[in-house]
Amino acid sequence: MAAQRTFTKQAIPKSMTSNFRGQSIVTHSSPFKPSTLSITQITTFRVADFHTSSRRHILPAGPQVINGTANDPAPVPQPSPTHGSYHWAFERLISAALIPLTVAPFAAGTLNPVTDAILCATLLIHSHIGFQALIIDYLPNRRVPKTRALFMWALRAGTLLVGVGLYEFETNDVGLTEAIKRIWTA
């Protein structure tokens, strides 16, 4: 004869439900031993909304200040060609220039130090512009001005350090394209 199992649902005291919403305790009882509530016999099922953790803001809310009145026009920034369409066009030109500069030394089979230096400089400028855009997008100057300034100076120092390293690698060693060719055929 198979043993029958019964499940009983019991209420939870308020002291146990401070961290959970909609919680119930189901205890397992068997006909062979009495059903008693002990910590080892309680199985807890948690029923909660989609978000079970509290809302935590990564950054504190910025100041909620309105300068002027509701009828004042929005300030228009001064036009700057270095941060406008010329900047955008320069980014695209550098990105497009990387394609032939990357393929040409390997396709032609010649290792010209001038082409290698132009490739290194283009890679360096492309990386600097990309990381600068990342810092500008994710570290707004109004919210975290000191952090943004720190990251911008770190980017400038890193770009300078990588530039010096690439120069040393080009002049005192085999160069970038020859190193890539050796790694590729290794």
Side-chain angles (χ1 to χ4, degrees), residues 11-186:
I12 302 171
K14 286 288 186 187
S15 63
M16 291 178 64
T17 62
S18 61
N19 294 332
F20 303 105
R21 288 181 259 151
Q23 188 176 30
S24 66
I25 293 180
V26 178
T27 59
H28 170 70
S29 63
S30 171
F32 302 112
K33 62 181 180 179
S35 173
T36 59
L37 281 178
S38 69
I39 298 299
T40 58
Q41 293 176 340
I42 295 177
T43 306
T44 305
F45 294 98
R46 181 175 166 181
V47 179
D49 294 311
F50 181 74
H51 297 286
T52 57
S53 60
S54 64
R55 290 183 57 185
R56 293 186 184 114
H57 298 286
I58 295 173
L59 294 174
Q64 305 295 319
V65 178
I66 298 174
N67 296 326
T69 65
N71 294 327
D72 290 340
V76 178
Q78 293 295 324
S80 173
T82 59
H83 289 88
S85 62
Y86 295 141
H87 187 74
W88 185 86
F90 181 70
E91 287 177 354
R92 299 315 174 267
L93 180 70
I94 291 292
S95 298
L98 280 174
I99 297 169
L101 285 173
T102 305
V103 175
F106 301 107
T110 61
L111 298 173
N112 189 349
V114 175
T115 308
D116 210 21
I118 293 172
L119 174 64
C120 287
T122 308
L123 278 171
L124 188 66
I125 292 169
H126 177 75
S127 300
H128 180 83
I129 290 173
F131 282 115
Q132 183 181 28
L134 187 134
I135 291 170
I136 289 170
D137 287 346
Y138 291 105
L139 296 172
N141 204 17
R142 291 182 304 172
R143 304 257 329 245
V144 285
K146 291 180 182 177
T147 306
R148 181 175 176 173
L150 175 74
F151 274 83
M152 287 299 241
W153 280 107
L155 173 65
R156 291 176 189 127
T159 302
L160 182 66
L161 184 69
V162 170
V164 169
L166 284 173
Y167 174 76
E168 288 294 321
F169 189 66
E170 287 293 320
T171 56
N172 298 329
D173 210 338
V174 294
L176 184 67
T177 53
E178 179 63 27
I180 292 172
K181 192 179 268 188
R182 288 180 182 181
I183 291 171
W184 190 268
T185 57

